[in-house]
């Protein structure tokens, strides 16, 4: 079995992908590549990409396929991804992105696509209470004891309420997920790469099921 793992994690916003990706990344020593984090970093840096992406994210729409495919092509060429593999989070979001990814990853194909399944009502509750570190992306749950923003335990950055975590934006992003991203489940389901994971149980149970599915896929991949 080769070192590292190449996987895609899917699931509605708020399904727990961020938390599970951090754990998987440490466990298998692979980079966690989140296109949402890449775009938010560009927004903070005020680059041309960031200026455009900031407006698109705020409006709850998707950044264009060509731009996203180029971002991923460059990122997957970096040494860490080439040698260790990667966890892709937030990419692909459309079938066009998935087709492009298969071409980019042709030499070192994806081991498995994991779908973290959590019902819509539950993710709306979770996202409304979600707070996230602006610097390292660690997720927190809002409490009445803490006022926004507070300091991240992991890196000392600001923990904030993301400005796209409003009820209107959440609802629009979930609708987008259903219409544009759900076809990906059919795409990956057809060739047997998709594994459904129940994301509504405890984080430890979810992690156990995820690692079992990843280990199984690596053994056979
Ligand atoms: P996320 O943190 O994954 O929820 O991403 C936040 C926002 O970034 C999304 O609502 C989109 O506007 C944009 N975005 C992230 N990944 C992609 C992608 N693969 N394709 C298009 N837009 C994306």
């Amino acid at each position: 079995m080769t070192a590292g793992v190449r996987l895609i994690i899917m699931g509605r916003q708020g399904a727990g992908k961020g938390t599970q990706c951090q754990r998987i990344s440490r466990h298998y020593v692979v980079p966690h590549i989140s296109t949402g984090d890449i775009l938010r970093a560009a927004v903070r840096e005020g680059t041309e990409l960031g200026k455009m992406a900031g407006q698109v994210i705020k409006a709850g729409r998707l950044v264009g396929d060509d731009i996203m495919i180029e971002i991923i092509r460059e990122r997957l060429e970096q040494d860490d991804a080439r040698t260790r593999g990667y966890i892709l989070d937030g990419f692909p979001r459309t079938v066009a992105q998935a087709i492009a990814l298969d071409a980019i990853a042709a030499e070192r194909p994806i081991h498995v696509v994991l779908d973290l399944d959590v019902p819509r009502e539950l993710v709306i509750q979770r996202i409304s209470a979600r707070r996230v570190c602006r610097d390292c992306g660690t997720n927190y749950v809002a409490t009445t004891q803490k006022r926004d923003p507070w300091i991240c335990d992991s890196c000392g950055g600001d923990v904030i309420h993301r400005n796209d975590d409003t009820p209107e934006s959440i609802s629009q992003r979930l609708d987008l997920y259903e219409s544009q991203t759900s076809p990906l489940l059919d795409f990956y389901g057809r060739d047997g790469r998709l594994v459904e994971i129940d994301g509504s149980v405890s984080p430890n149970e979810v992690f156990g099921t995820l690692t079992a599915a990843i280990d199984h896929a690596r053994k056979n991949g």
Side-chain angles (χ1 to χ4, degrees):
M1 188 161 59
T2 54
V5 59
R6 294 174 298 277
L7 63 93
I8 297 170
I9 188 148
M10 297 185 40
R12 295 187 173 93
Q13 295 84 351
K17 279 180 303 186
T19 307
Q20 294 298 335
C21 284
Q22 276 195 343
R23 292 183 68 169
I24 295 169
S25 169
R26 282 194 208 118
H27 186 80
Y28 293 99
V29 198
V30 287
H32 167 207
I33 301 176
S34 152
T35 42
D37 286 349
I38 292 173
L39 294 174
R40 280 184 290 275
V43 172
R44 280 201 306 280
E45 286 158 18
T47 61
E48 284 307 308
L49 168 69
K51 283 179 200 151
M52 178 277 296
Q55 293 178 356
V56 174
I57 293 174
K58 208 164 170 200
R61 291 184 280 114
L62 287 182
V63 173
D65 285 336
D66 292 352
I67 295 173
M68 296 311 304
I69 290 164
E70 254 341 280
I71 290 174
I72 283 299
R73 186 194 307 282
E74 281 176 23
R75 182 63 188 88
L76 298 192
E77 272 170 13
Q78 291 174 18
D79 277 350
D80 59 348
R82 289 175 70 92
T83 54
R84 296 296 316 167
Y86 44 81
I87 310 161
L88 280 183
D89 167 14
F91 187 98
R93 278 283 224 285
T94 64
V95 171
Q97 292 179 12
I99 291 169
L101 177 62
D102 276 342
I104 292 169
E107 279 180 31
R108 289 179 289 276
I110 305 287
H111 288 111
V112 63
V113 181
L114 301 161
D115 178 38
L116 210 48
D117 189 29
V118 177
R120 186 175 168 119
E121 309 71 55
L122 186 55
V123 297
I124 290 178
Q125 279 175 29
R126 285 186 185 175
I127 300 177
S128 305
R130 173 166 80 178
R131 300 295 181 271
V132 60
C133 173
R134 208 191 324 240
D135 291 338
C136 71
T138 298
N139 279 314
Y140 293 87
V141 177
T143 70
T144 45
Q145 284 90 33
K146 286 184 170 164
R147 289 259 212 95
D148 298 341
W150 72 77
I151 301 297
C152 175
D153 295 334
S154 302
C155 77
D158 284 343
V159 175
I160 55 153
H161 191 190
R162 268 168 49 174
N163 67 2
D164 60 337
D165 279 351
T166 61
E168 303 75 44
S169 176
I170 295 168
S171 183
Q172 200 172 357
R173 276 150 65 208
L174 288 173
D175 288 347
L176 244 179
Y177 181 83
E178 309 300 340
S179 65
Q180 291 203 277
T181 315
S182 293
L184 287 173
L185 301 180
D186 296 336
F187 181 87
Y188 288 121
R190 271 199 296 274
D191 59 17
R193 283 184 283 181
L194 183 72
V195 178
E196 294 278 357
I197 306 281
D198 179 4
S200 61
V201 295
S202 77
N204 281 343
E205 282 175 89
V206 174
F207 183 65
T209 321
L210 284 170
T211 49
I214 295 167
D215 292 342
H216 179 78
R218 284 167 94 211
K219 222 179 287 164
N220 298 310

